[in-house]
Amino acid sequence: MLRIYLLLCCSFFSFAVIADDDVWLLVDTKALTIEVKKGMQTLETINDIAIGRGGAGFKSHQGDNVTPFGSYRIGWVGESSSFRKFFGLTYPSAEDAQKALEEGVINQVAYNNIITAHRFHQVPPQNTPLGGRIGIHGLGRADEKIHKSMNWTHGCIALTNGQIDHLSHWLDKGTVVKIK
């Protein structure tokens, strides 16, 4: 299996990014599914995911409970998360930062910090007015009945514990995640 090994440096979030070149995720926020893809072929579909209480779209500010549209990578893996497992995304993207700068949501310094992080393949700042710590996670001890009945996250993508355990076999730092 072809693996990419990139050594990243010069950041609080420095780490090696390891991911299968061809495997990526497509998150469909309308169908509430995640497709595991290899190239353009769908290898598997995970149904009944939950997204943010505010739906999906452009995140206008921290705390808006919106799951962001866009293309991201898994930037870090939290195995000891209260949500069982947490796969943190490289949100905000350069595109998110550009739109936020144009709309006055972030200032030039925040924009430059986000762009620099992406330029060096690092996790962007997670404490800007756009928010952060967006990821894919399990339920942990949360009630599966609530998960099945409503979108309940603060902007993340949630799966049952069984689903996140299964999905984790496909994922690593660097895996592309496209949210539509």
Side-chain angles (χ1 to χ4, degrees):
M1 181 183 306
L2 178 62
R3 302 289 245 178
I4 295 176
Y5 296 91
L6 298 172
L7 181 60
L8 304 176
C9 61
C10 309
S11 169
F12 173 72
F13 287 102
S14 293
F15 48 75
V17 173
I18 305 166
D20 184 318
D21 229 2
D22 296 329
V23 173
W24 60 283
L25 302 181
L26 177 62
V27 178
D28 186 328
T29 59
K30 289 190 195 257
L32 297 176
T33 61
I34 295 177
E35 291 181 43
V36 178
K37 310 278 271 180
K38 185 164 183 121
M40 295 311 294
Q41 178 186 5
T42 299
L43 302 175
E44 187 169 340
T45 301
I46 297 170
N47 297 303
D48 303 319
I49 66 169
I51 61 171
R53 286 183 260 181
F58 175 71
K59 284 187 70 60
S60 62
H61 62 278
Q62 183 177 24
D64 63 7
N65 296 322
V66 170
T67 300
F69 286 151
S71 184
Y72 307 96
R73 289 188 178 270
I74 293 177
W76 74 96
V77 179
E79 293 289 337
S80 60
S81 165
S82 61
F83 292 110
R84 190 171 190 106
K85 293 181 181 172
F86 187 92
F87 295 91
L89 301 181
T90 55
Y91 170 84
S93 68
E95 292 80 13
D96 296 323
Q98 181 65 45
K99 185 170 183 178
L101 181 65
E102 290 168 0
E103 294 184 5
V105 175
I106 62 172
N107 62 25
Q108 189 68 47
V109 172
Y111 171 82
N112 291 344
N113 289 338
I114 293 167
I115 296 304
T116 299
H118 282 289
R119 184 174 297 130
F120 291 103
H121 307 285
Q122 297 171 344
V123 175
Q126 298 294 291
N127 59 351
T128 72
L130 280 175
R133 306 214 38 92
I134 299 294
I136 303 170
H137 61 72
L139 295 178
R141 294 185 182 169
D143 188 347
E144 197 168 324
K145 291 177 190 168
I146 291 173
H147 174 77
K148 290 184 178 198
S149 67
M150 63 184 286
N151 289 319
W152 58 272
T153 76
H154 294 291
C156 290
I157 298 150
L159 293 79
T160 66
N161 291 334
Q163 288 172 321
I164 197 70
D165 288 345
H166 180 75
L167 184 63
S168 69
H169 298 290
W170 294 103
L171 305 180
D172 210 337
K173 293 176 186 172
T175 301
V176 172
V177 178
K178 295 182 181 179
I179 304 171
K180 67 172 193 160

